[in-house]
Amino acid sequence: MSAVMKLKVIEGHLGSLSGFSKPKINYEQYETPAHIAAIALYTIQTQFESLENKLVLDAGCGPGMLSVGASLLGAAAVIAVDIDYEALQILNQNIEETETTNIDAIQCDFLDSEMYRWNNCFDTVVMNPPFGTKNNAGMDMKFLKMGLNLSSDCVYSLHKSSTRYISVLLLHRSHIEKKVREWGVKGEVIAELRYNLESSYKFHKHKSKDIAVDLWRLFHPS
Amino acid sequence: MKLITHNMLTSKCLKGVVTGYPLAISATNIKVTEVDFNPDFIVRIIPKIDWEVFWKAADSIGHSDGLPQTVESKLHDNNDFLKKVHRVLLEVEIDEGHLTCPESGRQFPITKGIPNMLLTEAENKFAMLLKSANDLYHEVFAPMPRQI
């Protein structure tokens, strides 16, 4: 299976996007690194053909790393939702700079979006949800559940992998795996992504810090 | 905001609003941006759209020219028709204006192309109160045996 753009080219485009100007802690705003977003989207397209010609939803889009990437990889249309107006302003800027014209943004509370008429409407839902730590406990799982409600096919979601490895050590299933069973859907990790912070920020005083995320693919059993 | 998005939005989140659909559009600035035409996608998306709402929305902002009021499957082979749908669904954008809830009259502003569907804090509190009352009923009162 193929993609309309080479991995290096997408990564180059995504690397030039603007990020959060002032990340808000209460929304757990952190950027999806261009490298991770590029590999994730490229994998989604080349292994499962879930972007090209598809109606895509980016849930909690922030400055739109995944939205723009999906559009560049040939999505027919992308709906991008976020609760934060400032993040959406940056998305608008990124849309303008990359000349991607098929992304439409909505400011709304994604977790409240059951009320919209879009259950099972999207071919593909992509998200890099809040990690769901401390004050936002369980937020990542709420995002996943809502994503499943709105998709007719697959949800692709990025999650910190540390929790999964701890679970493996403790010999029990990870939180997501438990939820996947509980919801009666199917799910698998389709890519384990590593990102070395030092390699991009040479000025960092700390030792190199590896960020590890898993790309999950969840879908309704046929 | 493109009309594909408008077709999915409701104001059901508001207190006392039952369907909240369709939202009326008031546009002060409309722009048209070119989007790659993908006929297969348009054919696939048409059944997902509430066509009547789509047509009326297009008409209300002056873009219904050449768009039939009802859609028939034979039109799926008609390239001009698909191009027209493509244009109105994906290329026409409401840049500035507002959406109005058909039941409560509450307005949702559209700024720089982005509709703001968030509730105010007061609206949110009321919605949460309603939700907890509803949960309480379903979890506690509804399962109780009924007395004759």
Side-chain angles (χ1 to χ4, degrees):
Chain A
M1 292 177 232
S2 65
V4 291
M5 206 175 257
K6 283 187 176 158
L7 179 57
K8 283 277 168 217
V9 181
I10 309 163
E11 192 178 335
H13 280 296
L14 296 185
S16 71
L17 299 185
S18 310
F20 290 110
S21 48
K22 285 181 225 144
K24 297 189 178 81
I25 290 173
N26 57 332
Y27 293 142
E28 285 195 74
Q29 289 181 334
Y30 63 96
E31 279 145 33
T32 316
H35 176 66
I36 285 185
I39 296 184
L41 293 166
Y42 193 79
T43 307
I44 292 168
Q45 173 54 30
T46 52
Q47 287 191 20
F48 302 99
E49 293 188 319
S50 289
L51 294 174
E52 206 175 314
N53 300 331
K54 303 292 186 191
L55 179 60
V56 178
L57 174 73
D58 181 0
C61 62
M65 191 66 81
L66 296 176
S67 297
V68 171
S71 174
L72 292 173
L73 280 169
V78 181
I79 310 272
V81 306
D82 205 287
I83 200 164
D84 181 30
Y85 182 72
E86 282 165 40
L88 292 171
Q89 288 306 304
I90 305 167
L91 168 70
N92 261 353
Q93 202 180 311
N94 285 332
I95 288 173
E96 225 164 89
E97 275 162 26
T98 50
E99 296 179 338
T100 42
T101 53
N102 61 349
I103 303 172
D104 210 18
I106 309 169
Q107 187 185 3
C108 71
D109 181 354
F110 175 64
L111 296 179
D112 219 9
S113 58
E114 192 91 72
M115 64 208 175
Y116 301 138
R117 298 179 65 262
W118 54 20
N119 271 4
N120 303 109
C121 169
F122 297 93
D123 299 314
T124 302
V125 177
V126 293
M127 58 171 83
N128 185 6
F131 285 144
T133 46
K134 287 184 180 168
N135 298 330
N136 288 328
M139 191 69 107
D140 49 345
M141 294 303 133
K142 286 182 190 167
F143 261 72
L144 265 185
K145 185 71 180 66
M146 185 61 73
L148 280 164
N149 291 348
L150 306 189
S151 79
S152 62
D153 192 10
C154 286
V155 178
Y156 296 91
S157 184
L158 290 163
H159 296 269
K160 249 191 192 166
S161 45
S162 55
T163 47
R164 200 167 69 94
Y165 282 111
I166 292 166
S167 320
V168 170
L169 289 175
L170 297 173
L171 294 175
H172 66 70
R173 281 196 308 278
S174 78
H175 195 47
I176 298 184
E177 282 164 328
K178 271 187 203 159
K179 284 288 177 189
V180 161
R181 280 205 161 189
E182 190 186 312
W183 297 333
V185 297
K186 303 270 181 201
E188 58 182 345
V189 173
I190 58 168
E192 293 178 9
L193 306 164
R194 300 289 171 269
Y195 182 72
N196 190 300
L197 262 187
E198 198 188 40
S199 62
S200 59
Y201 302 105
K202 297 276 185 219
F203 53 86
H204 249 256
K205 281 181 183 165
H206 304 286
K207 281 186 179 173
S208 77
K209 197 184 169 211
D210 273 326
I211 295 178
V213 290
D214 289 339
L215 174 60
W216 279 83
R217 173 176 181 258
L218 270 65
F219 54 99
H220 303 277
S222 50
Chain B
M1 187 199 65
K2 299 174 190 288
L3 290 193
I4 186 175
T5 303
H6 170 261
N7 210 269
M8 303 182 215
L9 292 181
T10 78
S11 53
K12 216 173 144 185
C13 49
L14 295 167
K15 64 165 181 172
V17 167
V18 185
T19 48
Y21 186 79
L23 300 167
I25 302 174
S26 310
T28 50
N29 187 30
I30 293 173
K31 60 178 189 182
V32 181
T33 39
E34 200 183 310
V35 175
D36 288 344
F37 176 50
N38 182 336
D40 293 342
F41 174 71
I42 298 298
V43 168
R44 212 156 54 78
I45 197 79
I46 286 173
K48 290 187 178 181
I49 283 171
D50 185 319
W51 189 269
E52 194 187 335
V53 167
F54 173 55
W55 190 88
K56 282 186 178 159
D59 195 50
S60 75
I61 56 169
H63 279 270
S64 64
D65 260 5
L67 204 64
Q69 257 180 288
T70 51
V71 66
E72 293 162 39
S73 55
K74 66 172 189 209
L75 287 167
H76 288 181
D77 300 325
N78 182 331
N79 211 43
D80 288 343
F81 165 73
L82 296 179
K83 267 195 179 148
K84 182 71 201 172
V85 176
H86 166 79
R87 184 178 168 82
V88 182
L89 196 61
L90 298 175
E91 296 192 327
V92 172
E93 290 183 14
I94 292 102
D95 198 38
E96 298 286 334
H98 60 258
L99 299 167
T100 308
C101 166
E103 290 164 52
S104 67
R106 156 75 144 94
Q107 294 185 349
F108 300 90
I110 303 170
T111 322
K112 293 181 187 164
I114 303 172
N116 178 356
M117 304 306 293
L118 288 178
L119 301 181
T120 63
E121 210 164 301
E123 285 169 334
N124 246 330
K125 273 186 187 149
F126 196 90
M128 273 163 73
L129 196 70
L130 270 186
K131 194 181 174 299
S132 25
N134 192 41
D135 289 350
L136 188 72
Y137 172 77
H138 284 285
E139 279 164 32
V140 180
F141 295 107
M144 281 184 177
R146 292 194 183 179
Q147 289 181 345
I148 301 160

